[in-house]
Amino acid sequence: MPTIESKKPGEPNSTGYTPGDETFTRLRNWFVLLMGNMNQEGIEQYANDIDLRNEEADCKKCEKRRDYLLQYSPIVTFMRDKINQLGGDIHNGNIHCRRCTTAQSGGFDPEYGIRICANQLRNQGHLEDTLAHEMVHAYDHLRFKVEWRNNLRHAACAEIRASSLSGECRFMREFITRGQWKLTQQHQACVRRRAVLSVMARPECKDDVQATKVVNEVWDSCFADTRPFDEIYR
């Protein structure tokens, strides 16, 4: 009966990725990736290896930027005040910088607080958008009593509002970082796309067809609702 041999550190495997933390191994992995000789599984292993190696530094950088934004960012301080007015309290003790294993920038849980994915952040502007997005969720949880589980319409409305109001869908952010741009209705297209993707990621959503249907059903009222802003934040 054939057996599968486990690879030792320093020995390449079929994915093109070579396990190991030595300088030579790191350089070999980088070169293999650069030459296009690493498959998708190998790329994921390579990225996970980097995230693990940089976890402590990434989290410290995230925490330093988080604290700065809580004090000086106009949108973050505005949302913090509005949440406080509703009886909530957002502070550095319930905004957690962590390494995430999924391709997301952050998340909100009423019991846990806000999670920021330190290993997914490009820069301070990305963190500001992510923090603002999750703070809109926190505001909605207190203001509208959102049913986060088992109510896709509530989830869709929350994602529409968070993507629209956080600033993550402004034109330059879409064009520079995501390669997405339109001359007309760019903001609406971005919000709709991101809301559908977020709804799709929920376990109770069957597929992209259901996610699109739910987003469309609540679109008009939720996109028009800019509370607590007077208008969409740019």
Side-chain angles (χ1 to χ4, degrees), residues 88-102:
D89 185 17
I90 294 290
H91 51 82
N92 59 10
N94 54 22
I95 302 174
H96 311 280
C97 291
R98 298 289 187 269
R99 183 181 71 88
C100 297
T101 57
T102 54

Side-chain angles (χ1 to χ4, degrees), residues 91-194:
H91 51 82
N92 59 10
N94 54 22
I95 302 174
H96 311 280
C97 291
R98 298 289 187 269
R99 183 181 71 88
C100 297
T101 57
T102 54
Q104 63 185 87
S105 302
F108 168 75
D109 184 279
E111 301 299 325
Y112 177 79
I114 292 173
R115 170 184 284 246
I116 301 296
C117 296
N119 56 315
Q120 301 289 345
L121 298 175
R122 295 184 299 272
N123 49 45
Q124 184 163 291
H126 188 193
L127 173 56
E128 183 177 39
D129 289 347
T130 301
L131 189 51
H133 180 112
E134 304 307 335
M135 292 177 85
V136 173
H137 284 335
Y139 174 89
D140 285 358
H141 176 73
L142 295 169
R143 178 68 176 78
F144 304 117
K145 312 303 180 186
V146 177
E147 295 178 18
W148 295 103
R149 296 177 176 84
N150 303 318
N151 192 324
L152 286 180
R153 290 173 64 89
H154 278 202
C157 190
E159 295 299 343
I160 290 168
R161 282 176 39 76
S163 290
S164 180
L165 300 176
S166 64
E168 67 189 22
C169 276
R170 55 185 173 272
F171 178 83
M172 291 308 294
R173 186 76 73 205
E174 276 282 270
F175 177 67
I176 293 175
T177 64
R178 305 183 189 116
Q180 300 278 346
W181 64 277
K182 291 185 177 181
L183 294 180
T184 60
Q185 296 192 323
Q186 171 273 332
H187 180 79
Q188 291 92 325
C190 170
V191 172
R192 192 183 296 273
R193 184 186 74 252
R194 293 175 70 82

Side-chain angles (χ1 to χ4, degrees), residues 169-233:
C169 276
R170 55 185 173 272
F171 178 83
M172 291 308 294
R173 186 76 73 205
E174 276 282 270
F175 177 67
I176 293 175
T177 64
R178 305 183 189 116
Q180 300 278 346
W181 64 277
K182 291 185 177 181
L183 294 180
T184 60
Q185 296 192 323
Q186 171 273 332
H187 180 79
Q188 291 92 325
C190 170
V191 172
R192 192 183 296 273
R193 184 186 74 252
R194 293 175 70 82
V196 168
L197 290 172
S198 294
V199 173
M200 279 177 57
R202 294 183 173 271
E204 59 269 30
C205 181
K206 294 184 294 185
D207 51 31
D208 61 329
V209 175
Q210 183 184 19
T212 302
K213 180 176 182 292
V214 173
V215 168
N216 288 340
E217 287 173 351
V218 301
W219 175 264
D220 289 342
S221 60
C222 297
F223 183 75
D225 187 353
T226 63
R227 288 175 288 181
F229 299 91
D230 293 330
E231 58 186 15
I232 294 173
Y233 179 80

Side-chain angles (χ1 to χ4, degrees), residues 34-98:
L34 185 67
M35 297 301 294
N37 294 325
M38 190 178 292
N39 66 19
Q40 186 58 41
E41 182 182 352
I43 293 172
E44 291 173 3
Q45 292 174 340
Y46 177 67
N48 185 63
D49 179 57
I50 292 175
D51 287 345
L52 284 170
R53 188 185 309 127
N54 297 334
E55 181 174 4
E56 183 178 356
D58 285 344
C59 288
K60 285 183 178 179
K61 183 188 295 184
C62 172
E63 289 166 356
K64 182 178 180 180
R65 289 172 169 175
R66 172 203 62 193
D67 293 346
Y68 176 87
L69 293 172
L70 283 170
Q71 187 171 0
Y72 297 111
S73 164
I75 188 171
V76 171
T77 55
F78 175 82
M79 285 304 306
R80 188 178 186 182
D81 289 343
K82 294 300 179 181
I83 290 168
N84 288 344
Q85 290 172 20
L86 294 175
D89 185 17
I90 294 290
H91 51 82
N92 59 10
N94 54 22
I95 302 174
H96 311 280
C97 291
R98 298 289 187 269

